[in-house]
Structure formats: C-alpha cells, structure tokens
Amino acid sequence: MRCALIGNPSVGKSLIFNQLTGLGVEVSNYPGTTVELMQGKLCHQGSTLQIVDLPGIYSMDGDSAEEELVRTYLLSEPPDAVIAVLDATRMERNLYLLLQLAEYGIPMVVVINMIDEAAQQGIIIDSGRLSSVLGAPVIETAASLGKNIGEIIPTVLSSARPAGIAVPYTPQIEAAIRSLGKLYGATRLQALHALQGIGSASELVEGARTIAGEIEALNHMSAHQIIGANRHLCARRIAADVVGAQEPDRRFSADRLLTKAIPGIPILAVVLLSMLLTVFIAGSFLEELIVEIFTLLVIEPFQTLSLPPLATALGMAVLLAIVAGLGIAFPFVLIFYILLSIVEDTGYLTRAAFLADRLMHGLGLHGGAIIPMVMAFGCNVPAVMAASQLRTVRERTIAAFLVTMVPCSARTVIITGIVAAFVGLWAALSIYLIVLVLIILTGVFLARNIPGGQYGMILEMAPLRMPDPVLVMKKSWGRIQEFLFIAMPLLLAGSVVLGALDYYGVVDAFSLIVAPVSEGYLGLPAYVTTALLFGILRKEMAFETLAVLSGTADLGSVLTGVQLYTFAVISVLFVPCISTIAVILRQIGIRVTLAVSAYTITLGFLIGGLIHFIAG
Ligand SMILES: Nc1nc2c(ncn2[C@@H]2O[C@H](COP(=O)(O)OP(=O)(O)OP(=O)(O)O)[C@@H](O)[C@H]2O)c(=O)[nH]1
Ligand SMILES: [Mg+2]
C-alpha cells in the first residue's frame, strides 16, 4: 500500500514522515524545505506501507515546479491514500488546498498538526465537526511532541475514504463542468483542470478553452480566478464553522521589530556578526583543544616509532590531514551548522530573507538567496545546492558566482590560522572586507550584464518559535555528514598523494617550474605556490601543505607578514575547492563551472599580485 503526505509548506509533513518511517528527512522552520519526493517504508501489524513525503504547496493548480510534481504524482501514480496535513493555526489557507485535494477522489485522512501551537494561541478546532463537513476522518496531532502520531496509520488503514465535500462553484462553472462531461466524457476533476488550462493539448482542453473564453467575457474574470475565488469562499466558510475564538497573536509586535528596516537591519547585522564571532571564538577554542590532544596522544608517539622513511612520510601526511580535518575544520563547520539550524528553526531566517530582499536585488538576487549566501560561510557545497533551487537561470548563475566567493569555514581556517595567528586580527578582518567588496562588485556587474527578468519574492513568514534542541542537533549532524564522509576521505587521500609526491621529489620539481611566477609576480617562495595549488583539493589543504612544505607549523618564522597575507588572500579567492566545483557542475552546468573557476583564479592572482605590488 502506498500513502502520500500532502499539505502546505512548513506544516510538519517531513517531521511526521520521519516519525512514521524512522528516517531522517530534513525538517526545518523554513517554507520549501522538501523540494522533491522522498520515500520511506514502515511495517504495521505485518503489512508493509510505503510512505511518500511531498514538497509543501499552497495550491494544486499553479505552475511552480513543486505544484506540478505533486499534481503529476497524484494523476499518474495515485497513492492508495493521502494523509492531508493541515496547520491548526492557519486553517483557512490550509483548507483551500484540502478542498482541491478532495477533488482527486483519493481516500484520505486529515491530520491537523501543530495543535500545541493552536492551543497556545487560544485557537480551538472542532475536529468532529470538521470530519462531518469533509466526510473524512480527522486526527489532531502535535508532531514535535509526538502526540497522536501513532493514530495516523491505523486510521489510514481502517477508515481512509474519499472526502465527500465538493466546492460549490458558480452556476456557469458548474454548467461548464456538466457540458465538458457530456461532450468529452470528462470527470469533474478533468473538467476543472481543462477550464484552468491545465493539461496537454487535447480535444477536451480545446473545448474547455472556448467555454472558459465565454465565461471570462461575461464575468471580466478568468475561469481560473473564479474557481479560485469559489474555493477560497468555501474554505473560509468551513474555517468559520470549525475554528473557535482566536486571540490576537501576541507575537505580532516582535515581528514588527524584526522586519522593519530600523531596528531590523541592525538586528540582522548583530545576528550575523555574532554568528561569525561565535564560530571564530568557540571554533578556535575547540580547535586548540583537539589539536593539542591529538598531537600529544597520536602525532608525538608516532614520531618516536622508527618506521622506514616512506612509511613515516605517508603516515605523517595522513595524521596531519586528520588534524587538519577533524581538529581544525570540524569545530568550525559543526558550530556553524548548529548556529544555522537554530536561526532557521526560530523562524528568524525568513525575517532575514525579507530584510535582505532589497539589498540582494542590487546583486541580481532576491532575499531568499540570503540562505545560500549565509550557508556558504559554513560550506559552499550545500550552499550551491540551495542556490540551484532558485527560480531562474539568471539567479542560479549569479548565486553560483557569489556563493563560491563567500569564505567558507575552511577558508576561515586559513584566515584565522595564518593571518589572525601570525599577522594580526585586523589584517584577518580586512580579508573579509576585501571579499565583501569583491562580492558586491561582482554581483552588481553580473546583475547588469546577465539578461533576464527579476522575480519578486514570495516567502511566507515562518512562525517564531523556540527551536527544539534534539531537532537542531539531528539536523546539524545530517549536514555535517557531507563533511565527514565526503570531504574527509578526500582530504586523507589527497594527503597520501601529497606525501608520496613530496617523498619522491615531485613537489620540488614542480616548485622549480612555478618559481618564476611565484617569486617574481607574487613575491612568494615557490613551495608556497605549490601549497596554494593543493588548496584546490580542499581549502584546508593549502594551510596544511604550507606547514608540511615549510617544515614547521610556526609559519611566522619562515614567511613575512605580507607573504602570509598574500597567501591567505589568494587561497581565499582563487578557485573553489574540488567538491564545490563538482557540485556546481552537477547542479548548474559546465559553462557556469568553467566561468566561475576562470573568474576566481584570475581574481585571486590579480589581487595577490596587487598586494605584492603595493606592500611587497
Ligand atoms: N510546535 C510545533 N512545531 C512543529 C510541529 N510539527 C512540525 N513542527 C515544526 O514545524 C517546522 C516545519 O516542519 P517540516 O516537517 O519541515 O514541515 P514540512 O511540511 O515538511 O515543510 P516543507 O518541506 O517546507 O513543505 C519544523 O521547525 C518543525 O519542527 C508541531 O506539531 N508543533
Ligand atoms: Mg518537508
């Protein structure tokens, strides 16, 4: 048996899905979290059920990718039952979708989720009454508390049935439905779709177009609009019937403060800055701790072993890679993801997107793109994935450029580990400033020069709520896995290769070749440029390779401040790491990948040369 979860965005479908199946689909207080169909299985009293988590949608008849996905899914492979999830605090709007869903005639169970929040807001729902109005079973749940989730499957199995309710449309629409039925044998659903111009060219769609044209001429409103208005009216009536007295929302005033330019923008700046500072401070603290413990317990004992030289070289390379990955990058990445999950689940991120909207428009993006931009501080890889969800090619292209320029945690490691440690805190901050200016210039330039229109942003404010610590940790863990299981192995493999190349003298030979450019143009010893190139594998590798090749972790003793600064700026700017390149290639395309790589290499070496020219 197959069963699908359908509902508006952010009503808790994925959380219910996870609780039913025991899987870990991403759950977040940000509309549009699930963008594709997710499947899971569960066993109930000996029989296996397949559960499908669908993206959240506001309507079944629109033309967004998510709406089309849900519609095609229901039409082409109708599940045996649907679980319609509603948000108890927004019944009217949720019922609008439910009324449309009812027209598909698939057996359903209605789940009114977030009943805990409704209770807090003084909203009372008469679910018995709703059940008799809809003609389908209704269950009240609070997924975050696990309340009544256990009742869903038994109810689906015992009493799911097609909802009996039908929206009463205006006489003209009803007449059109009847004649389309008579003329083309269309069902009510097919006739409604055809009247709204949904579906591929067919006699029915052609015939419906003529009728819809007549209706439009008579009403000065398209059939699509009339149908929508009828459904809204019906949803409003049902909501008025089943939803009890509602107290004014107390969170309203907090929202006013967060979304008005003043004090909203200063608050946003403080939030972003404190996120960065927390990552810096807590990250460095953990970093030192881990590196010290690791050196004491692993590296020092390893050095006292008398192994053959090649084994020592390779072993050291692996150990250094583990310190670089687990000890240095991990604390930064983990803390960043925890902070991001918290900001997301409080509902603040939607306010940030709203505030950033105007600013981002200057860069050719809309406020929603603030999410990939902020995520990029953690790691560019998930940020590019998020950017590839933007609506137009133009936006995706611009976002790919800007996201890859944002200093990710690995680059933060270079900035803190090299510049802050050996040159100074202000020098480190100045790198962020340089990057910020370059990002703005790039965005403005691309926005002016890439053709294509700009979409406005339609983003629903997520409700403000206390994040659930367990969910926050689960989500951060889910995100960190990419780092642990994809980046770490890459880092280890890269280090072994580096160790071998160094051992056999290949690194030295390579250094000879790059020496003229490196020394003449950038003012850097040749091995430093070699280290830079290793940064393509993984940005931390640049740092680590530099330490390996210069033979000491105390970089200040072998390179001057300007040299270290130049090195850091170039590695921050030039080419994203290999994982980022791969993900741009997969999600956005080869042309953008090549353009981004060429652009960032040029930028890195131009600015690097400039610094040497001015300060060297
Ligand atoms: N208070 C409360 N919060 C809930 C409940 N159910 C879900 N949430 C929270 O609501 C937010 C949205 O949950 P998701 O499961 O991601 O929602 P979704 O319907 O899958 O959303 P999309 O994938 O965007 O369509 C998360 O922050 C959940 O923790 C509930 O019953 N009560
Ligand atoms: Mg979801």
Side-chain angles (χ1 to χ4, degrees), residues 3 5 11-23 27 42-44 49 51 83-86 109-116 138-157 471 474:
C3 195
L5 286 154
V11 295
K13 296 178 298 299
S14 296
L15 192 54
I16 294 178
F17 176 84
N18 286 350
Q19 288 174 345
L20 291 178
T21 59
L23 295 177
V27 169
L42 74 90
C43 278
H44 182 80
L49 262 91
I51 310 267
I83 302 171
V85 186
L86 313 188
V109 168
V110 178
V111 169
I112 304 181
N113 192 35
M114 310 256 183
I115 205 75
D116 56 325
V138 174
I139 305 170
E140 291 185 6
T141 62
S144 52
L145 309 174
K147 191 176 159 198
N148 290 352
I149 297 298
E151 281 181 29
I152 298 177
I153 296 303
T155 312
V156 167
L157 292 173
L471 273 180
K474 265 195 193 159

Side-chain angles (χ1 to χ4, degrees), residues 3-9 11-14 16-17 51-60 66-67 69-71 73-75 78-79 81-87 94 97-98 100-102 104 106-111:
C3 195
L5 286 154
I6 299 192
N8 280 187
V11 295
K13 296 178 298 299
S14 296
I16 294 178
F17 176 84
I51 310 267
V52 178
D53 181 23
L54 292 164
I57 48 173
Y58 295 108
S59 151
M60 310 270 296
E66 290 84 17
E67 285 163 62
L69 186 146
V70 174
R71 199 163 57 226
Y73 175 76
L74 291 183
L75 289 175
V82 288
I83 302 171
V85 186
L86 313 188
D87 176 347
N94 283 250
L97 181 75
L98 185 83
Q100 289 181 277
L101 183 60
Y104 284 70
I106 302 173
M108 67 158 82
V109 168
V110 178
V111 169

Side-chain angles (χ1 to χ4, degrees), residues 494-561:
S495 306
V496 174
V497 173
L498 175 68
L501 291 180
D502 195 24
Y503 182 79
Y504 290 112
V506 180
V507 173
D508 286 340
F510 181 77
S511 293
L512 273 182
I513 302 174
V514 295
V517 177
S518 184
E519 282 160 19
Y521 175 63
L522 298 174
L524 299 174
Y527 71 86
V528 178
T529 306
T530 312
L532 265 183
L533 292 179
F534 270 96
I536 302 176
L537 277 182
R538 186 77 201 170
K539 289 285 171 176
E540 303 92 336
M541 287 276 286
F543 179 23
E544 184 203 337
T545 318
L546 188 62
V548 175
L549 295 181
S550 51
T552 170
D554 182 17
L555 297 170
S557 66
V558 284
L559 296 166
T560 68

